[in-house]
């Protein structure tokens, strides 16, 4: 056995395809006496069964590559299981409840309406489970091998999953991220994260939501509509500090009108017990107590702890995110990374797009120049109440990039017909919709579109396409409006601009504006 062990060690060093494997029932000391097993080889080894990893693996398989996806949890990643999908279900539930509250304004009497968190949780969980199965079927239908387990690098392109060893000619890391909790007393013991929100089977009477990003404002809005009294704790002056200030200011106003209290201060401790919790603020700013739940939405961090990235030679930033170039390459030859694990734009559709582009380059013969992920003009929606929809540069970003003299902005505020005063119930707040176009250059190319209000989440996609194709304000104005809709407001924002030359003294009225003779002006 000693001679067999020496031969095995030599074989392992000279032939990476060999690995020791003990026979069933053999003791650990007998492993040296059994034959070696070759690792499983693939053209493309994808670590992470989220939306980005699965999209990339399936696209690779469509190009004829032998692909494998490794996932230790449920297929679909954050988005399907504890992110976009179940969050949108809860947003929809809150929206339905809002419609019920206003129903009498439209002559509809709905008596005895109530919300059952346990019932919607059961339906939502069943929906997510069905999606998990769809993802599994999609992998099988695409001839992508699925391996369930926790991957750990044992070399640049080799991973161990349990007692299996897998290698890939190309390797993709798309493991995503998870919510982080601040390192303050009581946070881990008494607080929950967005993951814990989806475990709730009842609506808490009072909730402290700590955070200023989109997850914080989304969950705060949902909980408030569903019946909680919500306090939103933010460190700065406003939430969503990287977004267009004009829409954020309006969001804060709408949240406060809905009953959400904005508390400005940083938590230094959470005290209390399971029934009643208190948020203690820094700098002597006091305490706020009586919360049934304290929900932290203070950021996310990459899930890379168990990967042993140094074994693969993969460099990470101090934040833990994997360092990549514009082509998704890591510091290790043939190893790539994308999605939340690189910390660029943490959105499911960006990971899907980047993953497909990568596979087109690696296995479809596309050039690198044609397959670099473009992170400009990525449309984004915050499912707050009301929702925000943004694409492109803010006014401040446009000025910083192009200079103040090159930037023009156009704004419009209106009331969606649903909320016209005749259809409101007693005491109901009248929400307004707002849109802002940010334009640059003499041609006024639209480089930013920022909206808040009913249905803006469904409006943005088509306009984002126009922006990516280089649309100008005159292009927007040349489109015939769909009346009556909110989307028509985006193509009727004054001053109207023509795509052709006009006489210097000519005047064209904006939509539904009374014509004004030139002399009268």
């Amino acid at each position: 056995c000693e001679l067999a062990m020496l031969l095995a060690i030599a074989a392992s060093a000279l032939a990476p395809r060999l690995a020791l494997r003990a026979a069933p029932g053999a003791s650990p000391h007998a492993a040296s006496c059994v034959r070696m097993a070759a690792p499983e080889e693939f053209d493309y080894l994808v670590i992470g069964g989220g939306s980005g990893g699965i999209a990339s693996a399936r696209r690779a398989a469509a190009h004829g590559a032998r692909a494998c996806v490794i996932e230790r949890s449920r297929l679909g990643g954050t988005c399907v299981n504890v992110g976009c999908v179940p969050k949108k279900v809860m947003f929809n539930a809150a929206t339905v409840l809002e419609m019920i509250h206003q129903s009498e304004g439209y002559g509809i009497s709905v008596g005895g309406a109530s919300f059952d968190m346990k019932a919607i949780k059961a339906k939502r969980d069943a929906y997510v489970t069905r999606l998990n199965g769809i993802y599994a079927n999609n992998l099988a239908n695409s001839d992508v091998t699925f391996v369930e387990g926790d991957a750990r690098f044992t070399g640049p392109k080799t991973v161990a999953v349990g007692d299996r060893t897998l290698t890939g000619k190309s390797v993709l890391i798309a493991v995503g991220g998870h919510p982080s909790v601040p390192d303050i007393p009581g946070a881990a013991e008494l607080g929950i994260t967005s993951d814990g929100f989806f475990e709730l089977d009842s609506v808490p009477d009072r909730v402290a939501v700590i955070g200023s990003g989109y997850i914080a404002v989304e969950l705060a809005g949902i909980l408030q509509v569903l019946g909680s009294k919500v306090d939103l704790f933010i460190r700065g002056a406003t939430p969503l500090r990287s977004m267009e200030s004009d829409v954020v200011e309006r969001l804060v106003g709408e949240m406060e009108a809905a009953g959400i209290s904005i508390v400005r201060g940083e938590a230094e401790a959470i005290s209390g017990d399971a029934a009643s919790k208190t948020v203690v603020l820094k700098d002597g700013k006091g305490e706020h107590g009586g919360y049934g739940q304290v929900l932290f939405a203070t950021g996310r961090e990459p899930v890379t702890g168990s990967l042993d990235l140094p074994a693969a030679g993969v460099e990470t930033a101090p934040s833990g995110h994997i360092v990549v170039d514009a082509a998704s390459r890591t510091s290790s030859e043939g190893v790539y990374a994308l999605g939340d694990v690189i910390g660029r734009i943490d959105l499911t559709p960006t990971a899907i797009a980047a993953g497909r582009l990568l596979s087109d380059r690696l296995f479809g013969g596309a050039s690198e120049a044609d397959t670099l992920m473009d992170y400009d003009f990525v449309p984004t929606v915050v499912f707050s109440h009301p929702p925000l929809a943004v694409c492109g540069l803010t006014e401040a970003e446009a000025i910083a990039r192009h200079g103040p003299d090159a930037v023009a902005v156009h704004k419009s505020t209106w009331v969606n017909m649903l909320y016209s005063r005749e259809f409101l119930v007693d005491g109901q707040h009248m929400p307004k919709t707002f849109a802002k176009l940010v334009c640059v250059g003499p041609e006024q190319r639209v480089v930013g579109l920022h909206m808040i209000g009913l249905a803006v989440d469904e409006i943005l996609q088509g306009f984002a396409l126009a922006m990516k194709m280089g649309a100008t304000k005159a292009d927007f104005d040349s489109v015939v409006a769909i009346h009556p809709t909110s989307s028509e407001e985006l193509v009727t924002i004054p001053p109207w601009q023509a795509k052709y030359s006009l006489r210097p003294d000519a005047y064209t009225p904006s939509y539904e504006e009374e014509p004004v003779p030139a002399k009268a002006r």
Side-chain angles (χ1 to χ4, degrees), residues 160-425:
V161 182
D163 61 356
R164 300 171 68 174
T165 301
L166 303 95
T167 66
K169 295 176 183 177
S170 296
V171 177
L172 172 63
I173 305 171
V175 293
H178 63 84
S180 59
V181 175
D183 186 17
I184 60 174
E189 298 82 5
L190 296 172
I192 63 173
T193 65
S194 56
D195 289 1
F197 168 78
F198 295 114
E199 296 300 320
L200 297 177
D201 58 10
S202 63
V203 179
D205 289 337
R206 295 194 66 210
V207 179
V209 177
I210 300 177
S212 59
Y214 70 93
I215 296 175
V217 300
E218 288 176 338
L219 298 186
I222 290 169
L223 284 165
Q224 182 73 25
V225 173
L226 296 182
S228 296
K229 176 62 184 76
V230 177
D231 292 345
L232 177 64
F233 289 78
I234 60 176
R235 290 187 298 179
T238 65
L240 303 172
R241 291 186 296 273
S242 64
M243 291 191 171
E244 174 58 54
S245 60
D246 278 346
V247 296
V248 173
E249 289 172 8
R250 285 164 172 79
L251 174 63
V252 170
E254 294 290 347
M255 293 177 75
E256 291 177 333
I260 296 174
S261 298
I262 308 294
V263 181
R264 292 169 176 83
E266 183 175 357
E268 68 174 6
I270 309 299
S271 62
D273 53 34
S276 181
K277 306 168 183 64
T278 297
V279 178
V280 182
L281 298 179
K282 286 184 177 180
D283 304 322
K285 291 186 176 181
E287 300 180 355
H288 297 259
Y291 299 112
Q293 294 290 348
V294 175
L295 193 158
F296 287 98
T298 50
R300 297 177 63 81
E301 54 192 26
V303 186
T304 56
S306 63
L307 290 178
D308 194 3
L309 293 176
V314 174
E315 179 185 352
T316 58
S319 63
H321 292 97
I322 295 176
V323 177
V324 296
D325 64 9
S328 301
R329 287 183 287 252
T330 71
S331 55
S332 181
E333 179 73 24
V335 179
Y336 305 85
L338 52 83
D340 292 7
V341 78
I342 68 172
R344 186 68 185 273
I345 296 181
D346 293 355
L347 295 173
T348 295
T350 61
I352 292 173
R356 288 171 176 166
L357 289 169
L358 177 61
S359 290
D360 286 345
R361 181 168 77 250
L362 295 178
F363 306 106
S367 69
E368 180 171 312
D370 290 335
T371 54
L372 296 180
M373 179 62 193
D374 182 4
Y375 289 97
D376 288 333
F377 298 111
V378 174
T380 304
V381 167
V382 179
F383 288 100
S384 48
H385 284 266
L388 273 66
V390 301
C391 182
L393 302 178
T394 65
E395 181 180 355
E397 290 169 339
I399 290 173
R401 184 177 299 189
H402 300 281
D405 294 338
V407 177
V409 298
H410 307 280
K411 306 177 185 180
S412 181
T413 304
W414 67 96
V415 175
N416 187 291
M417 183 184 292
L418 180 72
Y419 299 125
S420 293
R421 64 172 57 93
E422 293 80 5
F423 309 115
L424 298 181
V425 296

Side-chain angles (χ1 to χ4, degrees), residues 18 20 26 60 69 99-100 103-104 112 117 171 214 221 252 283 289-290 342 351 400 413 456 461 483 501:
L18 300 178
L20 286 172
V69 168
M99 294 296 102
I100 292 174
S103 63
E104 288 189 7
M117 185 73 132
V171 177
Y214 70 93
V252 170
D283 304 322
I342 68 172
T413 304
V456 297
Q461 190 79 72
H483 184 68
S501 298

Side-chain angles (χ1 to χ4, degrees), residues 40 42 45-46 68-72 75 139 144-150 161-162 164 166:
E40 301 166 61
F42 296 92
L45 193 59
V46 177
C68 173
V69 168
I70 304 170
E71 174 55 56
R72 66 184 182 183
L75 286 173
L139 287 177
V144 175
T145 300
F146 172 54
V147 174
E148 185 174 3
D150 205 359
V161 182
R164 300 171 68 174
L166 303 95

